[in-house]
Amino acid sequence: MRWSTVIPSTENLQDQIRELVAAFTKVMSAVLPADYPEIKAQVLGLARSLGNQARAEPLQAAYTVAAVLITAVILGRLGRGKKVTVMDALSEDPDLSVFVGFWQALPQDGPWEKPDLSKDLPPSKDAKDKAKKTLPPRLIVFAPVNSAFEKARGEILNLNEEQWRRLLVTHVAHSEALTEVLEAAETLVSSTNSQIPLACIRDTFSDGSVKVRAPIETSNGLIYRIDAVLQPQKLPLAGR
């Protein structure tokens, strides 16, 4: 697969993010269905705040805009009765095209079961799940942006087939935890039994504050866009 990156240059990033926020604000009324008035108001409010954020933290704003925009498109589809899975949402994001291409090329059979990113969640057993701070098991995908693969090229080009499979599958986990519980944790066990450090979904700012990146929400899980490839040989195994 061709190596590429679509992240804009940092010197133009602020202007591009502000332009994106302006366009984003204009189209949201058309994208979001009328059945979600509260969500629409929240999304438009977030868009306005992102215009200010872009001046100080353009990269964080870029990730947030992308996550919210794709989530908004997903809500629009859900409003029309169409489920949008993790695989659908990944395919919608051009900055995740390298990960998607590698994932689709990965054989189904082999060591470390390849999770089905298009499979729907099982129905909830009862109404007490939320009170227990759990949900039906859902997919949690840590998807490296295209530039992350370019940065890791020297370390991953010479991986054999088994090592490559382990690397890709490590980016997927299953969790029953509510989003706020998951994001407060330090690690999450991946599908290869590696412990994923959840620092990869947090950004630390110059004033010392920390913010969790907004996930892309789908019908069967969450997607977190990350800016580095997780390399399982450098991660501890669960229980060790």
Side-chain angles (χ1 to χ4, degrees):
M1 174 170 291
R2 179 183 176 187
W3 292 91
S4 63
T5 176
V6 297
I7 286 284
S9 62
T10 54
E11 61 184 13
N12 296 322
L13 188 55
Q14 288 181 327
D15 290 339
Q16 292 175 356
I17 292 301
R18 282 195 287 271
E19 291 175 5
L20 180 58
V21 169
F24 171 77
T25 304
K26 290 179 67 174
V27 303
M28 280 305 94
S29 294
V31 173
L32 287 171
D35 296 341
Y36 296 89
E38 294 181 1
I39 294 176
K40 181 181 289 188
Q42 291 174 1
V43 168
L44 293 176
L46 177 58
R48 287 190 292 271
S49 69
L50 283 171
N52 296 325
Q53 184 183 14
R55 298 185 184 93
E57 301 290 348
L59 188 57
Q60 172 67 26
Y63 283 135
T64 306
V65 167
V68 175
L69 179 58
I70 294 171
T71 299
V73 172
I74 290 169
L75 285 169
R77 291 188 181 182
L78 289 175
R80 294 190 292 273
K82 181 178 179 179
K83 290 185 178 180
V84 179
T85 66
V86 163
M87 195 68 238
D88 293 330
L90 287 171
S91 300
E92 291 276 356
D93 191 335
D95 197 26
L96 300 178
S97 61
V98 172
F99 177 73
V100 170
F102 286 146
W103 186 265
Q104 291 176 331
L106 191 69
Q108 189 63 44
D109 297 326
W112 302 291
E113 181 180 356
K114 178 184 177 183
D116 185 350
L117 305 187
S118 299
K119 187 176 181 180
D120 287 333
L121 286 174
S124 179
K125 294 180 181 179
D126 55 47
K128 297 179 181 179
D129 283 343
K130 192 164 186 179
K132 295 178 180 177
K133 296 190 179 300
T134 62
L135 294 168
R138 57 179 174 168
L139 294 162
I140 311 295
V141 178
F142 301 88
V145 295
N146 292 345
S147 58
F149 283 98
E150 181 66 29
K151 292 175 186 176
R153 182 176 183 177
E155 296 182 272
I156 64 179
L157 271 181
N158 296 321
L159 296 180
N160 61 36
E161 184 176 339
E162 183 174 307
Q163 292 169 330
W164 180 244
R165 182 181 185 87
R166 183 185 176 199
L167 181 144
L168 287 178
V169 176
T170 291
H171 288 79
V172 181
H174 293 81
S175 176
E176 298 179 353
L178 296 178
T179 303
E180 58 267 29
V181 176
L182 170 68
E183 292 179 347
E186 294 298 321
T187 61
L188 182 66
V189 179
S190 76
S191 296
T192 63
N193 205 39
S194 298
Q195 293 190 45
I196 300 172
L198 295 185
C200 67
I201 63 171
R202 301 184 182 108
D203 290 301
T204 302
F205 300 102
S206 55
D207 62 358
S209 61
V210 178
K211 185 174 181 180
V212 177
R213 294 179 180 179
I216 299 167
E217 300 189 25
T218 73
S219 63
N220 62 339
L222 301 176
I223 301 167
Y224 289 94
R225 301 165 95 250
I226 60 176
D227 50 18
V229 175
L230 299 174
Q231 299 191 42
Q233 72 275 15
K234 298 182 181 180
L235 301 177
L237 295 177
R240 292 189 181 181

